[in-house]
Amino acid sequence: MTENPDPLLGRQGTAFEFPIELGKVREFCRAIKTRAPEYQDGAVTPPTFLMASALWQSRENSPWGDDAPNLSRLLHAEQEFVFHGPPPGIGTVLTGRSRIDRRYTKTRKSGGVLVFTEIVTDYRVEDRLVAQVRQTLVETSKAAAQ
């Protein structure tokens, strides 16, 4: 594994608002097939619900800017959710902001190069950090065979 100095490192998207709405949480629960009562009444949200914030974001909110990876070569490798207290409940309006936190490369045995990018999205209520989502994406040196 080699650390790769990269101009994308540390780049941030603009902040976005993510209101947590009961109907959207219930739809999400239906999609993940859970009937947990604490989710149905909106006391807290499922931890992975924060991924629904992608529907509230635009291109300006992406830390990639004009340097987005080639989607035909992009893999989703890992995702981690960290909460600083309970997951937010219904009526909470989160402010999210994503940044490219780490980038590195690995050379495959076949000779191809994999570029790993870790993107962290911080979610705040006012100035208080309530959650973070870390995604690891991998860009391969060539597109997958179809």
Side-chain angles (χ1 to χ4, degrees):
M1 180 168 69
T2 314
E3 288 293 328
N4 182 15
D6 192 308
L8 294 177
L9 192 61
R11 186 184 284 178
Q12 296 186 15
T14 60
F16 60 92
E17 284 194 353
F18 179 41
I20 303 202
E21 303 168 349
L22 182 58
K24 295 301 177 186
V25 171
R26 286 182 175 166
E27 289 171 359
F28 187 85
C29 289
R30 191 172 306 133
I32 64 171
K33 298 185 188 279
T34 183
R35 295 187 188 275
E38 64 271 21
Y39 301 152
Q40 298 302 313
D41 67 11
V44 295
T45 55
T48 55
F49 180 72
L50 291 177
M51 295 314 295
S53 73
L55 301 171
W56 290 86
Q57 296 177 51
S58 66
R59 184 176 179 166
E60 294 82 36
N61 306 122
S62 170
W64 292 105
D66 292 329
D67 298 307
N70 181 335
L71 295 179
S72 69
R73 298 184 351 225
L74 194 66
L75 305 170
H76 183 269
E78 186 174 40
Q79 196 164 288
E80 176 185 22
F81 299 86
V82 177
F83 292 91
H84 305 280
I90 302 306
T92 304
V93 178
L94 299 173
T95 300
R97 189 162 190 189
S98 300
R99 70 180 182 282
I100 296 176
D101 190 55
R102 186 170 179 226
R103 284 178 50 93
Y104 54 94
T105 60
K106 289 185 181 181
T107 302
R108 299 169 62 177
K109 291 179 184 177
S110 65
V113 175
L114 301 174
V115 179
F116 290 76
T117 303
E118 294 178 14
I119 296 176
V120 175
T121 303
D122 294 326
Y123 292 91
R124 297 180 183 276
V125 173
E126 297 173 5
D127 287 333
R128 185 174 54 87
L129 182 65
V130 296
Q132 292 177 299
V133 175
R134 177 177 296 273
Q135 298 179 69
T136 302
L137 306 173
V138 181
E139 189 172 3
T140 62
S141 53
K142 63 180 181 178
Q146 294 187 16

